[in-house]
Amino acid sequence: MSLFRKPQPLAVLVVRDAPDVVAALRSALEAAPDAERPGLERALALAEESAGRPDGELRGRWVRQRLAAAGHQGPADSVEAIKILRQAEPGLTLLQAVTYAKEAAAAEA
């Protein structure tokens, strides 16, 4: 093991298609009849809210989903949770799993 190795990139990529969804909803809202407008306005508000969430929050949600699927109910940043996360996603390094677990725990606080 080298002290000078390159840091590993984050393994969980956050895909953000929310801006495209927001644009499509705005376009649909402009041409919508009155009966459809309330539903489209609500959908647009939800999409805009989702688009504003930081990547760490989305990765935290991803971690909580993986832990829930494994039946873990304790803190997201516990040693047990990190072990479960690495077993569920074998490509994660220890540093990545710890980073993601801390993001999940911070989002819960």
Side-chain angles (χ1 to χ4, degrees):
M1 179 153 113
S2 171
L3 294 175
F4 303 104
R5 68 185 177 119
K6 290 183 179 179
Q8 294 287 331
L10 294 178
V12 177
L13 177 66
V14 175
V15 179
R16 292 207 175 259
D17 57 358
D20 295 334
V21 172
V22 168
L25 286 169
R26 282 191 181 127
S27 177
L29 186 58
E30 290 174 3
D34 289 341
E36 294 178 6
R37 292 186 70 74
L40 285 170
E41 288 169 350
R42 178 69 178 136
L44 179 59
L46 290 172
E48 287 174 336
E49 178 184 328
S50 178
R53 291 196 174 118
D55 290 354
E57 183 181 334
L58 298 177
R59 282 190 299 267
R61 184 172 57 193
W62 178 83
V63 166
R64 286 190 303 278
Q65 289 170 347
R66 295 303 175 280
L67 294 177
H72 179 72
Q73 296 180 3
D77 59 349
S78 69
V79 172
E80 179 186 354
I82 292 167
K83 181 179 177 184
I84 291 169
L85 185 59
R86 290 192 72 205
Q87 289 172 343
E89 298 294 332
L92 288 180
T93 66
L94 179 59
L95 178 61
Q96 291 166 334
V98 169
T99 300
Y100 300 156
K102 286 181 180 180
E103 288 176 334
E108 290 173 354

